């Protein structure tokens, strides 16, 4: 009983984004996996799933464990009950808009929206982006040439993905900071469980929607924009039929999701390389390992720690009965440290192979922007390791502050001492 009480308290602290637990949730994941791999967390209320096989099965079976966990089910209902009537209205308005996201849908609706969204991330388009990503990285790193101390999050991790996705969607350069601020505010909303974050997130979504609506109208009127922006506009007029609300939501989710994942990959990944100096030095000496290094950083400390799902039918998972309508939380962070799948899972090994991690999901909802996030990570880690091999944390590790969202777990800042001028 004491062990179960401690698990309840620690898991509640993590889902509540307690900074201490967020700093290193992996011991908690281990305890859950060993004690109750499918754990009913009463405070959520939801089933918290921590083994690789169970998470993978759920990701592959969207007809049984679907995407509705954000707006429906036991956790969503509990959050609604905890809010005032006015805040319930705000949360429902957020949910109504998010219901248009490709990531919130299943079945035919998901397939239709995903076909359209996929136009942003075809292999040809990603290949063409390599030059512009490199150009943006060079631009951001140019002020660092003489060395000194920099904050990698605010000066690189937050700026790069925003620059890339804004450029893809014809967002003017002068609007990038506003887009990033909206995305950051939206990401802090923990599904309505934090009232202040909910209100700020609701306001940010309204402003973001209005901005994107104006952008869409401008692009449509002028007939001028990037290939991707014009392709999405055409999708609102051809046989695929995007409604106007879906079109705006498509721009919003691409701008939002296109920023957050890469920011956390860069910040979490560089922090881990600084804490595992032997792996950083190996990357500096063997830059050809950058691709596998990015995969290992995704596995070891993923940008998205868990996914909220909904049981669409009664199912048995890990010997536990999961009832239709109950929320299921799939812990990607825990699955990626499962010793049944990854030998010595708590060891960072940038040459690890095979590495079938689940950091970017799997199955029908596999991350649409996975190739772009990987490309951005590969270029960043290659350039940093080759230009500044002596860089180090400029503060003690326990001084680093975490973003206020356990699901999109990332650093607020990452001060780095570059260790001297850039190598040429």
């Amino acid at each position: 009983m004491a062990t179960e009480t401690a698990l309840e308290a620690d898991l509640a602290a993590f889902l509540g984004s307690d900074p201490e637990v967020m700093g290193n949730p992996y011991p908690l994941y281990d305890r859950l996996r060993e004690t109750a791999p499918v754990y009913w967390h009463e405070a959520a209320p939801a089933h918290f799933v921590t083994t690789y096989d169970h998470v993978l099965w759920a990701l592959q079976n969207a007809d049984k464990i679907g995407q509705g966990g954000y707006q429906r089910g036991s956790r969503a209902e509990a959050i609604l009950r905890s809010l005032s009537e006015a805040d319930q209205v705000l949360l429902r308005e957020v949910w109504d808009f998010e219901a248009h996201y490709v990531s919130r849908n299943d079945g035919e609706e998901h397939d239709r929206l995903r076909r359209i969204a996929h136009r942003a991330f075809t292999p040809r388009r990603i290949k063409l982006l390599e030059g512009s990503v490199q150009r943006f990285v060079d631009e951001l790193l140019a002020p660092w040439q003489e060395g000194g101390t920099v904050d990698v999050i605010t000066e690189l991790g937050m700026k790069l993905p925003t620059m890339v996705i804004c450029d893809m969607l014809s967002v003017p350069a002068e609007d990038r900071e506003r887009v990033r601020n909206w995305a950051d505010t939206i990401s802090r909303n923990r599904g309505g469980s934090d009232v202040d974050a909910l209100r700020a997130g609701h306001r940010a979504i309204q402003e973001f929607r209005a901005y994107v609506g104006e952008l869409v109208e401008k692009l449509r009127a002028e007939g001028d924009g990037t290939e991707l922006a014009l392709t999405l506009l055409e999708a609102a007029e051809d046989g695929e039929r995007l409604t106007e609300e879906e079109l705006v939501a498509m721009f919003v989710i691409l701008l939002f999701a296109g920023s957050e994942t890469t920011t956390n990959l860069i910040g979490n990944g560089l922090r881990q390389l600084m804490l595992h100096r032997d792996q950083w030095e190996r990357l500096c000496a063997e830059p050809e390992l950058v691709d596998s290094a990015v995969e290992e950083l995704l596995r070891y400390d993923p940008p998205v720690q868990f996914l909220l799902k909904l049981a669409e039918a009664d199912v048995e998972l890990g010997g536990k009965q999961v009832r239709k309508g109950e929320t299921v939380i799939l812990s990607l962070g825990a699955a990626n440290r499962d010793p049944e799948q990854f030998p010595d899972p708590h060891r960072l090994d940038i040459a690890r192979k095979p590495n079938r991690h689940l950091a970017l999901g799997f199955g029908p909802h596999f991350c649409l922007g996975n190739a772009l996030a990987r490309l951005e990570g590969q270029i960043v880690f290659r350039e940093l390791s080759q230009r500044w091999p002596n860089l180090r944390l400029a503060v003690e590790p326990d001084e680093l502050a975490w973003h206020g969202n356990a699901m999109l777990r990332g650093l607020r800042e990452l001060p780095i001492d570059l260790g001297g001028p850039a190598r040429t």
Side-chain angles (χ1 to χ4, degrees):
M1 182 63 70
T3 300
E4 185 172 344
T5 301
L7 279 176
E8 275 287 306
D10 289 348
L11 188 50
F14 173 65
L15 293 176
S17 300
D18 181 283
E20 288 190 19
V21 186
M22 280 178 62
N24 183 15
Y26 299 101
L28 172 61
Y29 295 161
D30 288 344
R31 287 161 54 205
L32 285 162
R33 197 187 310 106
E34 293 163 5
T35 306
V38 179
Y39 179 79
W40 175 253
H41 178 45
E42 189 65 40
H47 298 276
F48 200 85
V49 184
T50 51
T51 67
Y52 183 96
D53 287 345
H54 294 143
V55 170
L56 179 62
W57 182 89
L59 292 172
Q60 291 173 314
N61 290 273
D63 58 326
K64 296 180 176 65
I65 306 293
Q67 293 295 99
Y70 294 89
Q71 295 114 335
R72 295 183 287 123
S74 54
R75 179 171 171 80
E77 291 167 3
I79 289 173
L80 270 177
R81 288 194 298 269
S82 72
L83 298 174
S84 69
E85 289 188 12
D87 288 326
Q88 286 182 26
V89 171
L90 296 185
L91 183 54
R92 290 189 187 281
E93 288 180 357
V94 169
W95 286 348
D96 287 346
F97 180 69
E98 291 179 345
H100 297 296
Y101 292 171
V102 60
S103 57
R104 296 291 195 269
N105 284 272
D106 287 306
E108 292 181 4
E109 278 297 285
H110 168 261
D111 294 343
R112 176 178 66 88
L113 293 171
R114 189 177 177 91
R115 280 195 302 272
I116 297 168
H118 180 67
R119 299 174 187 183
F121 303 108
T122 61
R124 181 186 70 86
R125 195 180 299 279
I126 297 301
K127 183 65 178 174
L128 291 174
L129 281 173
E130 188 170 351
S132 61
V133 173
Q134 181 68 60
R135 185 175 69 255
F136 286 136
V137 171
D138 290 341
E139 177 184 329
L140 290 170
L141 296 185
W144 302 9
Q145 291 300 104
E146 298 306 313
T149 300
V150 297
D151 177 12
V152 171
I153 299 296
T154 58
E155 298 304 318
L156 178 63
M158 294 176 70
K159 290 183 177 179
L160 174 64
T162 304
M163 293 167 78
V164 173
I165 198 67
C166 283
D167 189 56
M168 291 173 67
L169 288 170
S170 298
V171 174
E174 61 268 24
D175 292 342
R176 290 171 186 162
E177 186 173 353
R178 280 203 292 168
V179 168
R180 179 67 226 188
N181 288 338
W182 282 323
D184 187 52
T185 302
I186 292 169
S187 75
R188 294 173 191 270
N189 178 20
R190 303 198 301 270
S193 59
D194 181 313
V195 174
D196 290 338
L198 165 63
R199 293 169 182 169
H202 177 273
R203 186 166 55 251
I205 284 179
Q206 301 309 312
E207 293 172 357
F208 206 170
R209 288 172 65 181
Y211 170 81
V212 170
E214 293 174 3
L215 175 66
V216 165
E217 287 307 308
K218 180 175 181 291
L219 293 173
R220 183 175 280 141
E222 298 177 356
D224 185 27
T226 62
E227 180 187 353
L228 172 58
L230 296 178
T231 297
L232 292 179
L233 290 177
E234 291 167 5
E237 300 164 4
D238 67 14
E240 291 282 10
R241 287 310 303 168
L242 271 181
T243 67
E244 284 299 304
E245 191 77 342
E246 287 172 341
L247 177 62
V248 172
M250 187 72 75
F251 270 73
V252 169
I253 190 60
L254 290 176
L255 287 166
F256 169 57
S259 300
E260 198 69 28
T261 301
T262 304
T263 298
N264 290 351
L265 167 59
I266 292 171
N268 296 359
L270 188 58
R271 170 181 174 269
Q272 292 296 348
L273 287 169
M274 296 298 93
L275 297 178
H276 298 82
R277 199 71 196 178
D278 61 321
Q279 296 302 297
W280 170 253
E281 292 172 355
R282 185 174 185 187
L283 179 60
C284 293
E286 303 176 61
E288 65 275 12
L289 289 178
V290 70
D291 289 8
S292 65
V294 167
E295 298 307 309
E296 177 69 345
L297 294 171
L298 284 167
R299 178 196 75 84
Y300 195 81
D301 206 358
V304 179
Q305 284 288 309
F306 60 82
L307 303 173
L308 284 174
K309 301 281 189 171
L310 179 70
E312 300 288 358
D314 291 351
V315 296
E316 184 178 302
L317 191 60
K320 296 293 182 70
Q321 190 67 32
V322 179
R323 302 292 183 187
K324 180 178 179 179
E326 291 178 338
T327 303
V328 180
I329 301 177
L330 302 181
S331 177
L332 305 178
N336 284 346
R337 298 280 190 106
D338 189 338
E340 293 297 317
Q341 176 66 26
F342 302 99
D344 200 1
H346 296 303
R347 178 172 62 90
L348 184 70
D349 177 5
I350 64 169
R352 183 184 294 270
K353 288 187 180 178
N355 193 347
R356 301 184 182 91
H357 65 78
L358 301 177
L360 300 171
F362 196 88
H365 288 279
F366 184 58
C367 176
L368 268 168
N370 75 89
L372 179 57
R374 285 176 159 119
L375 174 64
E376 291 172 331
Q378 289 160 5
I379 291 176
V380 164
F381 289 115
R382 183 186 66 226
E383 294 301 320
L384 290 178
S385 63
Q386 297 310 294
R387 298 190 196 192
W388 294 282
N390 297 318
L391 65 78
R392 295 181 179 275
L393 284 176
V395 297
E396 293 300 316
D398 59 7
E399 294 179 44
L400 296 172
W402 292 91
H403 196 288
N405 188 320
M407 181 170 67
L408 300 171
R409 174 179 169 274
L411 293 163
R412 293 188 184 279
E413 57 184 21
L414 183 62
I416 290 290
D417 180 347
L418 293 169
R423 288 187 177 179
T424 57

